[in-house]
Structures are given as structure tokens and as C-alpha cells.
Amino acid sequence: MLVFQEIAEAVICGNAKKVKEYAERALEDGALPQSIVNEGLIAGMNVVGMKFKNNEVYVPEVLISARAMHAGMDVVKPLLSASELQDKGTVLIGTVKGDLHDIGKNLVRMMLEGAGYRVIDLGVDVAPEKFVQVVQEQKPQVVGLSALLTTTMVNMRSTIERLKSYPVKVMIGGAPVTQKFADEIGADAYAPDAASAVEKAGQLLA
Ligand code: B1M
């Protein structure tokens, strides 16, 4: 359907008004809400993710595209059943204790949402006990930890230790984090950027 391509292109351009308009038109024309999400909104965000990974676009453009994607989600969300929304799995995400940086974490959240995951975002300065509490309550399949300070990376280790007895996979990321560090602390995955985080989440949930 041509309108899916138009939705995707409007997401890529970050045009929230057009995304909303095209999503409404698609519904009027009989398109399925899930198809609007998959073939329009997510398809558009996938392109943005690849461009971000290849340094063809930068943080502001990704944020603007994510906002446009959310404008489309607002149109279709009431029509999607809870099961459809949660189809791809749930990711619990937060910046670890002592750390207030959230720009990168928010990008990861938006890219995951754009790829069709349900994301529970605990915000910043999240204590290991809080992650455990929400894992018990919400039963996500993946927990994502972000840290931007070398001094707070240690809290990734303590969070992973506390999550060991739960059936969740842990993905970590943030500027000072490396694959070597992830291996050392027993993380299941490391992602250097938001687009890779989507890929890694897919692998962890496969
Ligand atoms: Co801060 N800060 N900061 N800071 N800050 C850094 C990180 C720093 C490198 C600056 C520097 O000195 N050059 C330095 C850390 C040094 C170190 O630890 N070695 C630093 C410092 C020291 C501090 C304070 C201690 C400063 C002070 O008060 N003396 C203080 C600490 C506060 C605290 O957290 N307790 C502080 C405060 C702040 C602000 C509040 C002013 C602000 C944060 C605002 C906010 O986030 N809402 C801020 C900012 C903006 C930065 C810099 C400039 C930019 C960080 C950023 O947003 N990058 C940063 C310097 C820099 O990096 N150039 C710096 C853009 C973002 C898109 O990238 O977060 O790396 P990033 O996310 C990427 C990937 O890392 C990855 O995907 C993202 C998208 O590609 N990723 C994941 C991130 N999380 C992931 C999770 C995943 C997977 C991938 O899976 C779950």
C-alpha cells in the first residue's frame, strides 16, 4: 500500500503532522493498525536507525523521527489489542544508580519502541533493588542498563548479580561500556549504539 511508504517517509523526515494524517487516512482506507505499525512506523524508524548507525543522521534527527513515530502510534494504539502491542517482547530499561545521563538511554528506548517492543522505562539513578522489583512484577524478557560514568559502571555489575536468579537477559550500553566489560560482569549482550541495541534485543529474544 502506497500509504505505508508515505508514513515511513514522513517518519524518516520527522514530520509528525504528516505521519498522523497518513495514519488516519490509512485507517479510513481499511488498513490494519498492525500493518500501519509494521510497514509504516517501524519501517521508517528502521531506516532512521540504520542512518544513525552509519553517521548519516545525528541525535536531534533521531529524536524528531521518534516523535513523529509516536504521533502515528497515538493514532493506532487504541485500536491495537494489548497482545499485539506486546508481541515482540518486553524490555525493562534504566540508567543505573548514581547516574543521571538519559539522552542515550532514551534513544535506545525510542528505537526499541519503534521496532515494536514494549518498553518499561525506569528513568535514571535506578537502584539494583528497583530493577529486581519491576522484574518480579512485570516479567520482562530483557533488562537494559545504561551508564555514562566510569564511576557508575560498577552498578551494572551489582544489578546483574541481583538479577542472576531471574529468567531475564541483560543488555548493557553507554559511552564508557565495552564488550570486554560486558563479558567481565556477565551481561548477556553489549550494544554500542541504539540501532545495535535493537539488533541485540532481537537476538536475545530469538
Ligand atoms: Co555528563 N559526563 N556529567 N552530563 N556528559 C559525560 C558522560 C563525560 C564523558 C563528560 C566529560 O568529562 N568529557 C563525563 C564522564 C567522565 C567519566 O565518567 N569518565 C561526565 C561527567 C563527569 C558528568 C558529571 C560528573 C559532571 C559534574 O557534575 N561534575 C555529572 C554527573 C551527573 C550524574 O550522572 N550523577 C554530569 C552531568 C551531565 C548533565 C546533567 C549536565 C548532562 C546529562 C543530561 C541528560 O542526560 N539528561 C551531561 C551530558 C549531556 C554529558 C555529555 C556531554 C553527553 C552525553 C550524551 O548524552 N551523549 C557527555 C560527554 C560526551 O559523551 N561527549 C558527558 C549523547 C548520547 C546519544 O550518547 O549516552 O553515549 P550516549 O548513548 C549512546 C550509546 O552509548 C548507546 O546508545 C546511545 C545512542 O547511540 N547507549 C546504549 C547508551 N545507553 C545504552 C544502553 C543500551 C545500549 C546502548 O542497552 C541497554
Side-chain angles (χ1 to χ4, degrees):
M1 242 175 150
L2 181 64
V3 72
F4 294 146
Q5 205 179 322
E6 287 174 329
I7 293 171
E9 274 162 18
V11 168
I12 297 164
C13 299
N15 190 333
K17 197 164 158 258
K18 286 272 178 229
V19 172
K20 182 172 180 287
E21 193 183 307
Y22 293 146
E24 284 167 349
R25 195 193 335 138
L27 285 175
E28 279 163 23
D29 291 350
L32 292 172
Q34 193 62 55
S35 306
I36 295 175
V37 174
N38 291 333
E39 292 167 53
L41 302 172
I42 293 179
M45 274 315 282
N46 282 343
V47 174
V48 177
M50 288 313 299
K51 284 178 177 247
F52 181 60
K53 203 172 176 182
N54 297 332
N55 294 322
E56 289 168 44
V57 298
Y58 298 97
V59 174
E61 287 98 327
V62 178
L63 295 176
I64 292 167
S65 286
R67 192 186 58 188
M69 179 203 73
H70 280 290
M73 279 305 286
D74 288 345
V75 174
V76 292
K77 222 173 190 171
L79 305 168
L80 291 167
S81 70
S83 60
E84 276 174 319
L85 278 176
Q86 292 170 24
D87 237 2
K88 282 186 95 171
T90 300
V91 181
L92 174 66
I93 195 167
T95 302
V96 295
K97 187 175 176 181
D99 200 320
L100 302 177
H101 295 84
D102 69 355
I103 297 168
K105 184 265 297 168
N106 291 347
L107 271 176
V108 173
R109 183 195 73 213
M110 286 187 265
M111 295 292 290
L112 285 168
E113 285 174 345
Y117 295 95
R118 174 180 174 238
V119 183
I120 305 166
D121 186 352
L122 296 181
V124 296
D125 190 20
V126 184
E129 303 78 28
K130 182 68 184 173
F131 279 109
V132 171
Q133 182 202 326
V134 181
V135 162
Q136 286 170 339
E137 289 167 3
Q138 301 280 336
K139 305 197 171 21
Q141 288 85 13
V142 176
V143 174
L145 307 176
S146 181
L148 261 286
L149 299 172
T150 44
T151 48
T152 57
M153 285 165 69
V154 60
N155 295 328
M156 291 179 146
R157 187 192 292 272
S158 53
T159 305
I160 287 176
E161 273 163 15
R162 281 169 192 260
L163 288 171
K164 261 189 188 137
S165 52
Y166 296 91
V168 284
K169 303 278 187 193
V170 181
M171 168 164 64
I172 64 171
V177 179
T178 59
Q179 181 65 57
K180 185 169 173 281
F181 178 70
D183 295 340
E184 267 169 36
I185 66 171
D188 298 292
Y190 157 70
D193 54 55
S196 313
V198 174
E199 280 171 26
K200 292 287 167 82
Q203 289 164 12
L204 291 175
L205 285 160

